[in-house]
Amino acid sequence: MKAVVYRHYGGPEVLEYTDVPDPKLSQNSVMVRVRAAALNPADHMLQAGLGESHTDAWFPVIPGWDVAGVVEQVGAGVSEFAPGDEVIGYIRQEILHHGAYAELVSAPVEALARKPRTASWPEAAGLPLAGLTAYRAIVQTLKVEPGETVLIHGAAGGVGTVAAQLALAREACVIGAASAGHHDFLRSIGVHPVAQGDGIVGRVRALAPDGVDAVLDCVGKGVLHATAEAGSSRMRACSIADGGPGITTVFARPDSAILTWLVEMMDAGGLRVPIAATFPLAQAAAAQTALKLPHPPGKVVLVI
Ligand SMILES: NC(=O)c1ccc[n+]([C@@H]2O[C@H](COP(=O)([O-])OP(=O)(O)OC[C@H]3O[C@@H](n4cnc5c(N)ncnc54)[C@H](OP(=O)(O)O)[C@@H]3O)[C@@H](O)[C@H]2O)c1
């Protein structure tokens, strides 16, 4: 099959579009013919070797954890899916080797859900990791309640756009910190935008005089500490991009039931995944560069 690989750590320039052996299909997994694979910052961070202390890499590595495609074959023991089914999944693996930047990927059924009927392939591929992370933060960690005010740093990003919609669906008021070029987009989905950087506490306080009830950090770089004074006395906060003393960090987990719940929300018209840009598989390096640079709201996706 054709795939994009890297043979040693590095930036987008180490990515190579090439022929590799098809993945093997083990029990409780299905072989997915990939139609779209979404990029995530984790792809290029791991590719740069930043995960070396805790994640093994078996070179050549095919990057990519977000997939949408068609089931081609089912492994032994699989009754949930059949050939021809359209699926999506967050297919993170413990050892970096077989990712989604490829024509085929073998995916465990517990990582998969049926593709949203109403979504394009790029929108479908953009949902799993962003959606599962946003759900873990907004619903399971911050436990946002109706009537609360939530501040989201990086609200126009892949995770931020989904997190904002989940908080709005829970009848919260959402303040989204983003660069000025993304403010009209945020208004279009019902978010009150504020500019990042110096003076942000005053801008948030102008919108929420009693302080915000919850803060989600999708940026890192100390923004949680910088906005601590924007919180009410009952403020909860968590980060998906920062750690250290006093910071609750949350990580996405593969979860078929939650992914199915997000798919149903999408098909009911309550959630959309904005697409920043699409690229053909062979242009994965350009796609990674686009994700690393300032980009339009939402996900960067490879289309196969
Ligand atoms: N813990 C987890 O499980 C998990 C899961 C997914 C992602 N993450 C992490 O969460 C962060 C966001 O992921 P994402 O997929 O939403 O990324 P993304 O789509 O690239 O969005 C990041 C957003 O942050 C804003 N931003 C502000 N300052 C920035 C800076 N200095 N550099 C880059 N962006 C900046 C950008 O919006 P503006 O231009 O509007 O400022 C951008 O839209 C990343 O660090 C990623 O590694 C963690």
Side-chain angles (χ1 to χ4, degrees):
M1 68 168 178
K2 289 287 186 199
V4 171
V5 304
Y6 55 94
R7 298 178 193 280
H8 54 86
Y9 293 128
E13 73 286 350
V14 302
L15 291 177
E16 189 186 322
Y17 179 64
T18 188
D19 289 298
V20 297
D22 289 358
K24 292 174 183 163
L25 178 61
S26 63
Q27 64 271 36
N28 292 329
S29 289
V30 302
M31 189 68 77
V32 178
R33 184 152 293 273
V34 182
R35 297 294 304 270
L39 275 69
N40 289 286
D43 302 352
H44 59 73
M45 291 157 80
L46 291 165
Q47 182 181 312
L50 300 177
E52 209 184 2
S53 65
H54 53 84
T55 307
D56 283 317
W58 178 14
F59 296 103
V61 173
I62 303 172
W65 285 346
D66 262 337
V67 69
V70 182
V71 174
E72 188 147 293
Q73 201 185 341
V74 301
V78 174
S79 55
E80 297 90 336
F81 299 103
D85 285 349
E86 297 182 342
V87 294
I88 62 171
Y90 167 43
I91 57 158
R92 179 183 191 281
Q93 289 166 347
E94 289 305 311
I95 296 176
L96 303 176
H97 183 59
H98 269 306
Y101 295 14
E103 289 179 329
L104 291 168
V105 72
S106 171
V109 290
E110 63 268 22
L112 299 176
R114 286 177 194 278
K115 172 186 172 286
R117 285 176 290 101
T118 53
S120 65
W121 287 109
E123 290 164 343
L127 179 64
L129 179 50
L132 290 164
T133 311
Y135 188 94
R136 200 152 176 72
I138 294 293
V139 180
Q140 296 179 315
T141 305
L142 296 174
K143 299 182 170 66
V144 169
E145 298 281 347
E148 290 192 318
T149 301
V150 184
L151 168 63
I152 300 178
H153 292 284
V159 178
T161 53
V162 179
Q165 293 173 84
L166 291 184
L168 288 165
R170 292 172 81 82
E171 297 174 32
C173 168
V174 179
I175 299 172
S179 55
H182 295 155
H183 286 193
D184 282 346
F185 164 80
L186 289 177
R187 280 187 204 98
S188 79
I189 61 169
V191 171
H192 303 283
V194 290
Q196 290 156 330
D198 287 349
I200 185 170
V201 170
R203 292 189 287 278
V204 172
R205 280 274 176 188
L207 291 168
D210 296 332
V212 298
D213 303 298
V215 185
L216 168 58
D217 165 24
C218 302
V219 170
K221 306 176 205 314
V223 296
L224 275 188
H225 289 311
T227 50
E229 288 174 10
S232 69
S233 55
R234 57 186 183 287
M235 185 181 83
R236 297 93 68 197
C238 71
S239 179
I240 64 164
D242 217 346
I247 294 181
T248 301
T249 311
V250 298
F251 292 97
R253 290 181 186 171
D255 191 312
S256 185
I258 294 172
L259 195 51
T260 299
W261 185 90
L262 290 162
V263 165
E264 286 167 1
M265 186 174 173
M266 228 171 151
D267 279 340
L271 176 63
R272 68 189 181 98
V273 175
I275 300 300
T278 61
F279 292 83
L281 179 61
Q283 290 176 23
Q288 258 190 10
T289 302
L291 180 62
K292 289 170 82 168
L293 293 171
H295 55 79
K299 301 293 298 180
V300 176
V301 182
L302 298 171
V303 178
I304 292 94

